Amino acid sequence: MTKLGILQLPYNPAALRQLVKQLAKLSGQVLFIDLQARIDACTPLSLPDNVRFVACPSYEIEVLVQQARELQLDNLVSFAELGLVPAAQVREALGMHGHDELTELNTVDKHRMRVCLRDAGLSQVRSTTCQAPELVRAIEEFGLPAVAKPAKLTGSIGVQLLADMNDVPDYLQRLQANPYSKDCQLVLESFIPGAEYSVEGLLLDGAIHLYGVTEKQTTEAPYFVETGHRFDANHPLLALLHPALQAIFPALGMSICPFHIEFKMVEQRVEIIEIHSRFGGDFITQLLEYSLGNEAFLEFAEYLLHGHVPHLERQAATITAVGFAPVPAGVVRSVSALPRADAIELLEHSIDVRPGDVVTPKTGFYNRPAYFISRLRDRQAAQVFEQWMKAFTIELATKESA
């Protein structure tokens, strides 16, 4: 029986549940490989017969290569950003099918990605890179306003629009206070205004399979924390994306992977913000499954192990949306009751805070302790869902009342 290894567990418990549920249908064994501490931290989960957790002593490549040999894996992948390069190194060492290390670095490293695209004439965004102590000097040469972000992190960690030099001391302090971004390499890029989107799909030995487009809602400048997503399998931008991606993927050496690509439209041209050779987080794979019925994790695994090409039925697809409740640091004073849901179709939700809880954002300026997923009858229904979301509030105590 074929064996697929998956390096590093998802941090989102809902993503892990979806992944396990889908891969229970895979014709083969699935081995989730991670540190014992990460496995122990998982919410108790009933695993199907073909799925099991396997502890690794460390993420050292030599250790992972030896373990892959002992487990007799047919392939090793990762759906976590930090696992993409180690998984590629193992594949390369053992001759497994998939991207090599340099290809993964072309997307994991945001500055490297920008240079590849610009050299191929596929991006007009200015970019430079520096270490945190060099940021002031780099800004003096690059100019402001500019977007600063860590070169190899994700999830809006450390992303900020720097409007003038007065923003820099607080930004550097925020980077140093965050264990993920402390002492990291930074990227400075020119800011692109306009609506932000992402496209979700599979790249299967050069063949592009598009699931749909996700419209993004954010807190806007300066932090751009994502507050919601709206997935549409029949989005009008799909017609422009396919030819654009046919040029972009070869420029980065990409040939076989899931993809989640953030972009903006500039004068009817696709301008890439970030490219990820994995599925999108933030419940995007749940939106995709609710919309199309496609099980994206399973479909990629089935192609990788058995060559099965997925099938999409767009005619019956619905628009699906997720909304988050962003909360900065503080003590929760109150959590409102769930608004009446008569006008929306609420598919699932979770509220993970209650009065008295202390909110301490770990990856950015905000935490998002509540989410709501809805099915929308049409694009106009999105406004109804947004108004419904605004009726749900998490209030923090003031210093006087804390």
Side-chain angles (χ1 to χ4, degrees):
M1 180 177 287
T2 53
K3 290 183 181 179
L4 176 65
I6 299 177
L7 182 62
Q8 296 194 8
L9 295 165
Y11 282 90
N12 184 339
L16 179 58
R17 290 193 297 270
Q18 184 189 31
L19 188 50
V20 168
K21 180 182 177 183
Q22 291 187 12
L23 294 183
K25 304 174 185 177
L26 181 68
S27 302
Q29 294 182 7
V30 179
L31 307 181
F32 285 95
I33 302 170
D34 212 329
L35 304 176
Q36 187 64 57
R38 289 288 323 281
I39 294 173
D40 293 342
C42 287
T43 305
L45 191 64
S46 176
L47 297 179
D49 292 340
N50 70 321
V51 176
R52 63 188 174 102
F53 293 156
V54 177
C56 59
S58 74
Y59 293 143
E60 293 292 327
I61 300 307
E62 295 80 5
V63 172
L64 294 174
V65 168
Q66 181 59 31
Q67 190 167 32
R69 283 198 183 102
E70 293 173 354
L71 293 171
Q72 297 181 319
L73 298 181
D74 291 284
N75 212 318
L76 179 71
V77 299
S78 183
F79 298 123
E81 187 79 8
L82 296 180
L84 294 173
V85 171
Q89 290 173 317
V90 174
R91 287 195 301 268
E92 198 168 358
L94 297 179
M96 295 174 175
H97 189 38
H99 289 169
D100 58 20
E101 178 185 4
L102 292 180
T103 299
E104 293 293 8
L105 285 172
N106 284 344
T107 58
V108 169
D109 187 322
K110 298 175 180 63
H111 181 64
R112 185 183 177 113
M113 176 211 75
R114 185 66 60 196
V115 170
C116 288
L117 293 179
R118 201 167 53 233
D119 287 350
L122 299 171
S123 175
Q124 297 180 15
V125 174
R126 295 172 55 239
S127 175
T128 191
T129 185
C130 67
Q131 297 296 321
E134 305 166 340
L135 180 59
V136 171
R137 179 192 58 78
I139 288 174
E140 289 173 349
E141 296 178 2
F142 189 82
L144 292 177
V147 175
K149 54 187 174 183
K152 296 182 180 180
L153 291 180
T154 187
S156 300
I157 300 173
V159 178
Q160 184 172 334
L161 176 63
L162 303 177
D164 56 53
M165 294 301 292
N166 293 327
D167 294 333
V168 175
D170 177 68
Y171 177 68
L172 289 174
Q173 183 178 7
R174 199 158 64 86
L175 287 179
Q176 290 301 108
N178 190 313
Y180 295 95
S181 59
K182 185 178 181 181
D183 300 324
C184 67
Q185 181 187 12
L186 297 175
V187 176
L188 278 177
E189 293 188 337
S190 51
F191 174 60
I192 309 169
E196 185 174 336
Y197 307 88
S198 67
V199 57
E200 328 302 337
L202 298 175
L203 181 61
L204 304 179
D205 287 315
I208 300 171
H209 299 262
L210 300 179
Y211 285 119
V213 170
T214 306
E215 297 180 354
K216 298 179 174 295
Q217 293 84 49
T218 75
T219 57
E220 300 296 340
Y223 303 115
F224 308 103
V225 176
E226 294 172 347
T227 58
H229 305 293
R230 189 162 55 245
F231 176 83
D232 187 352
N234 294 292
H235 199 282
L237 286 178
L238 285 171
L240 294 174
L241 283 163
H242 198 278
L245 295 176
Q246 284 181 315
I248 288 168
F249 287 139
L252 297 167
M254 299 170 69
S255 60
I256 179 166
C257 61
F259 59 83
H260 165 71
I261 301 176
E262 299 170 7
F263 67 96
K264 292 187 176 184
M265 296 302 300
V266 179
E267 298 177 350
Q268 294 299 301
R269 176 178 54 82
V270 175
E271 183 64 76
I272 299 298
I273 305 299
E274 294 181 7
I275 294 181
H276 302 280
S277 57
R278 56 165 174 80
F279 293 110
D282 270 0
F283 300 91
I284 288 176
T285 52
Q286 283 91 332
L287 298 184
L288 187 160
E289 187 172 353
Y290 278 128
S291 170
L292 282 163
N294 286 70
E295 298 176 303
F297 293 109
L298 175 62
E299 289 174 345
F300 180 63
E302 283 284 357
Y303 180 83
L304 198 60
L305 294 184
H306 307 298
H308 299 163
V309 177
H311 177 70
L312 278 70
E313 287 287 352
R314 296 189 190 277
Q315 290 184 341
T318 58
I319 299 173
T320 49
V322 61
F324 302 102
V327 181
V331 178
V332 176
R333 182 177 68 183
S334 65
V335 179
S336 71
L338 201 64
R340 288 174 59 95
D342 300 343
I344 65 169
E345 183 182 353
L346 192 62
L347 300 173
E348 64 174 90
H349 75 281
S350 178
I351 304 169
D352 296 330
V353 291
R354 58 186 179 180
D357 286 352
V358 178
V359 177
T360 306
K362 296 180 180 179
T363 62
F365 190 77
Y366 295 96
N367 261 11
R368 300 178 305 176
Y371 76 87
F372 306 88
I373 295 179
S374 175
R375 191 189 314 276
L376 309 179
R377 292 185 299 274
D378 50 42
R379 297 182 67 82
Q380 286 68 38
Q383 296 179 353
V384 176
F385 180 59
E386 290 174 8
Q387 291 301 315
W388 185 90
M389 280 292 307
K390 290 178 181 179
F392 174 79
T393 58
I394 299 174
E395 293 187 0
L396 299 182
T398 62
K399 291 184 179 180
E400 292 74 16
S401 62

